[in-house]
């Protein structure tokens, strides 16, 4: 048993969908659970639908949804060569359900409606890919993962009920492999016990694949991307990046914690628990070696690992009465951040002050300032960048920091972080 995950970039054209089919056909003897993301930028477009619906701009939301429908119908017709296929009825049913949502008055919070609408993307892409596979002789079963992944109702960042989900995987998914070697399922989504769609957090398809790998006791998980493998930095930002042939679970978790976008932060734990290796491979050339992520890897062979988070805000929180920021006060501040779901990317504590770096989110920052206003004075700087380098070298640091005004720095033997303004 192997688990494959294909992201949106591997489905952004008919040619690339055919390429996915060729990759799958090159594993004729393996049982494959294939997790698929929404096609191209569909998730971004569905987010716009949700936003306009919640703002009661229904005509705009309906037009955006129609554009998404037209695009997927065109892709389906082009790749199947006909509209005489049950797929088109299935797609129409998905859009009808989304239209029902748009016909409601938004009485619940935004996150709920976000999940009901944005989950559509994965349902569409997997239905199209599954139908195409069957048309070209790649026998497979399509799975609605909402019938399997049971979660709580923490919309937009739902938590999986592992006991119930494991039972569903055993009872519903495993028997599918008795009549076909391939099962196609969605990433990113699940369902509450009230059959309400949820999402598992942005970019959560990697995590979905890892949950399946864990529960199926898979031999391996492979994430197919449009890059050669993991690199030591984002090549879109930094020149002269290098490939990483092997890296440990722990190092990938560190990189994800600091903001690297390559692997979803929650992905590693289910794999590490059962020592399942994770491969990052290039779907444009499956023969390239890629990267393997596993328990043991030699960090001495690693180059400097560089992560840059843009659009950061530095908050400087000072007690109004000049009292010390003690453990009790810090605990209270943490509780407020936790309640507003604001992640702290970097922090520093002084005698009467607490400084922290967070992602720029105007709505949450406004709520945070209102909540802290009674007890603290608050200043903040916007438009900052947070650089993190593991296994740093002084010459490299000076090169990266050239021309920037550093506002905050933390350094350990292995890692340095600098918050700066250009």
């Amino acid at each position: 048993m192997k688990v494959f995950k294909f992201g949106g970039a591997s489905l952004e054209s008919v040619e690339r969908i055919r390429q996915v089919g060729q990759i799958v056909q090159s594993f004729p003897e393996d049982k494959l659970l294939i997790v698929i993301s929404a096609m191209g930028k569909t998730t971004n477009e569905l987010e716009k639908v949700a936003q306009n619906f919640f703002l009661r701009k229904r005509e705009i939301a309906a037009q955006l949804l129609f554009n998404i429908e037209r695009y997927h119908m065109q892709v389906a017709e082009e790749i199947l060569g006909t509209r005489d296929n049950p797929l088109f009825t299935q797609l129409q049913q998905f859009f009808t359900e989304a239209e029902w949502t748009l016909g409601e008055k938004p009485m619940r919070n935004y996150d709920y409606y976000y999940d009901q609408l944005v989950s559509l993307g994965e349902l569409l892409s997997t239905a199209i890919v599954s139908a195409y596979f069957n048309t070209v002789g790649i026998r497979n079963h399509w799975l609605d993962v909402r019938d399997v992944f049971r979660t709580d109702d923490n919309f937009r960042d739902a938590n999986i009920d592992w006991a119930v989900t494991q039972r569903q995987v055993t009872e519903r998914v495993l028997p599918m492999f008795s009549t076909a070697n391939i099962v196609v399922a969605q990433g990113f989504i699940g369902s509450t016990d009230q059959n309400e769609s949820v999402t598992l957090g942005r970019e959560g398809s990697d995590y979905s694949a890892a949950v399946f790998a864990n529960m199926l006791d898979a031999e391996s998980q492979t994430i197919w991307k449009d890059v050669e493998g993991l690199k030591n930095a984002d090549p879109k930002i930094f020149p002269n990046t290098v490939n990483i042939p092997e890296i440990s679970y722990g190092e990938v978790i560190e990189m994800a914690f600091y903001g690297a976008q390559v692997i979803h932060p929650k992905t590693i734990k289910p794999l590490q628990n059962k020592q399942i290796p994770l491969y990052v491979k290039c779907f444009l050339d499956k023969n390239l070696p890629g990267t393997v992520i596993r328990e043991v890897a030699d960090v001495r062979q690693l180059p400097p690992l560089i992560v840059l988070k843009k659009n950061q805000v530095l908050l400087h929180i000072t007690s109004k009465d000049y009292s010390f920021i003690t453990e009790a006060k810090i605990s209270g501040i943490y509780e407020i951040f936790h309640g507003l779901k604001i992640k702290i990317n970097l922090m520093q504590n002084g005698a009467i002050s607490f400084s922290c770096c967070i992602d720029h989110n105007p709505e949450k920052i406004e709520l945070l300032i209102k909540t802290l206003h009674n007890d603290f004075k608050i200043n903040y700087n916007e438009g900052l960048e947070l650089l993190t380098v593991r296994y740093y070298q002084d010459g490299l640091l000076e090169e990266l920091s050239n021309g920037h005004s550093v506002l905050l720095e933390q350094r350990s033997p292995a890692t340095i972080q600098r918050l700066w303004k250009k």
Side-chain angles (χ1 to χ4, degrees):
M1 177 76 69
K2 292 182 171 69
V3 173
F4 285 176
K5 182 261 178 175
F6 292 95
S10 60
L11 308 168
E12 64 183 11
S13 68
V14 168
E15 291 73 21
R16 287 195 168 186
I17 296 173
R18 291 190 177 117
Q19 203 158 10
V20 169
Q22 292 169 6
I23 290 172
V24 171
Q25 285 176 314
S26 68
F27 294 85
E29 304 302 320
D30 292 298
K31 295 185 183 298
L32 303 177
L33 188 291
I34 301 175
V35 171
I36 291 177
S37 299
M39 300 174 76
K41 301 297 183 182
T42 299
T43 298
N44 294 337
E45 295 304 308
L46 285 166
E47 286 178 337
K48 294 176 185 176
V49 174
Q51 290 161 4
N52 281 281
F53 163 74
F54 199 71
L55 292 172
R56 300 180 185 268
K57 299 178 180 179
R58 292 186 182 176
E59 290 185 5
I60 296 175
Q63 182 61 52
L64 290 168
L65 184 64
F66 174 75
N67 294 341
I68 295 168
E69 178 178 359
R70 182 173 55 189
Y71 168 73
H72 283 81
M73 292 296 187
Q74 288 173 347
V75 170
E77 184 173 7
E78 183 177 351
I79 201 161
L80 296 183
T82 177
R83 281 201 175 225
D84 185 21
N85 188 294
L87 167 67
F88 291 90
T89 301
Q90 184 183 19
L91 296 180
Q92 192 57 63
Q93 288 173 345
F94 292 145
F95 283 107
T96 299
E97 291 174 12
E99 289 163 3
W100 288 344
T101 299
L102 294 187
E104 299 178 14
K105 291 183 179 179
M107 305 295 289
R108 301 177 65 168
N109 66 30
Y110 173 72
D111 289 351
Y112 167 79
Y113 293 107
Y114 177 98
D115 281 3
Q116 307 320 300
L117 292 165
V118 172
S119 59
L120 175 64
E122 275 67 18
L123 296 169
L124 297 171
S125 63
T126 53
I128 291 171
V129 171
S130 176
Y132 167 67
F133 280 3
N134 281 321
T135 299
V136 296
I138 307 173
R139 179 165 170 71
N140 74 95
H141 293 300
W142 181 83
L143 172 70
D144 188 336
V145 78
R146 296 174 300 177
D147 295 333
V148 177
F149 278 20
R150 176 65 52 80
T151 73
D152 60 15
D153 60 358
N154 186 32
F155 296 102
R156 292 191 72 179
D157 194 17
N159 300 292
I160 289 176
D161 183 327
W162 281 79
V164 174
T165 302
Q166 177 68 75
R167 185 168 68 247
Q168 302 275 46
V169 168
T170 302
E171 294 176 357
R172 291 172 178 256
V173 180
L174 276 175
M176 290 182 169
F177 287 102
S178 63
T179 53
N181 278 353
I182 296 169
V183 173
V184 175
Q186 306 78 38
F188 180 54
I189 67 176
S191 177
T192 70
D193 58 7
Q194 299 299 310
N195 291 322
E196 297 169 318
S197 297
V198 298
T199 62
L200 307 178
R202 198 73 158 88
E203 308 296 340
S205 293
D206 292 354
Y207 178 54
S208 298
V211 172
F212 271 123
N214 177 288
M215 293 185 176
L216 292 168
D217 292 315
E219 169 192 325
S220 64
Q221 174 179 335
T222 302
I223 298 174
W224 296 89
K225 301 177 73 71
D226 57 352
V227 295
E228 297 176 29
L230 290 189
K231 292 181 176 289
N232 70 315
D234 185 344
K236 296 175 183 176
I237 301 175
F238 299 98
N240 305 318
T241 57
V242 296
N243 291 321
I244 301 173
E246 180 183 41
I247 193 169
S248 70
Y249 295 127
E251 285 298 331
V252 172
I253 289 173
E254 290 282 349
M255 291 178 69
F257 176 79
Y258 292 123
Q261 299 296 310
V262 180
I263 305 295
H264 190 278
K266 295 190 292 188
T267 299
I268 298 300
K269 186 60 176 170
L271 302 175
Q272 191 273 336
N273 284 349
K274 290 192 173 180
Q275 297 296 295
I276 298 169
L278 173 61
Y279 295 91
V280 180
K281 299 273 287 181
C282 180
F283 70 81
L284 300 172
D285 185 352
K286 68 182 181 63
N287 295 316
L288 291 174
T291 300
V292 59
I293 303 165
R294 52 191 169 202
E295 184 67 41
V296 180
D298 188 357
V299 299
R300 292 174 300 179
Q301 297 181 1
L302 288 175
L305 305 176
I306 306 168
V307 179
L308 184 69
K309 283 179 70 73
K310 298 186 177 183
N311 210 17
Q312 297 294 289
V313 175
L314 174 62
L315 289 174
H316 191 66
I317 302 167
T318 307
S319 56
K320 286 184 175 180
D321 59 0
Y322 292 93
S323 59
F324 288 150
I325 302 285
T326 61
E327 289 82 357
K329 282 195 174 181
I330 290 176
S331 176
I333 292 171
Y334 279 177
E335 196 64 36
I336 292 168
F337 275 81
H338 175 71
L340 294 174
K341 297 182 180 179
I342 298 175
K343 178 181 178 290
I344 298 174
N345 299 324
L346 177 66
M347 59 187 171
Q348 202 165 85
N349 192 194
I352 60 171
S353 66
F354 177 82
S355 299
C356 63
C357 169
I358 61 175
D359 295 339
H360 184 251
N361 186 318
E363 292 180 5
K364 289 188 176 182
I365 291 173
E366 184 178 352
L367 286 173
L368 178 67
I369 291 173
K370 286 181 179 178
T371 307
L372 292 170
H373 174 72
N374 289 336
D375 299 317
F376 301 95
K377 293 185 293 184
I378 301 165
N379 295 308
Y380 66 96
N381 297 76
E382 298 178 346
L384 309 180
E385 296 179 344
L386 177 62
L387 175 79
T388 303
V389 184
R390 284 180 66 74
Y391 311 114
Y392 56 88
Q393 302 157 356
D394 287 337
L396 174 64
L397 282 175
E398 296 315 309
E399 178 184 340
L400 295 173
S401 302
N402 186 36
H404 298 89
S405 175
V406 177
L407 304 180
L408 199 64
E409 177 178 299
Q410 284 189 358
R411 185 188 296 242
S412 73
T415 306
I416 187 168
Q417 290 187 282
R418 284 180 175 173
L419 183 67
W420 61 42
K421 189 174 184 67
K422 283 189 174 181

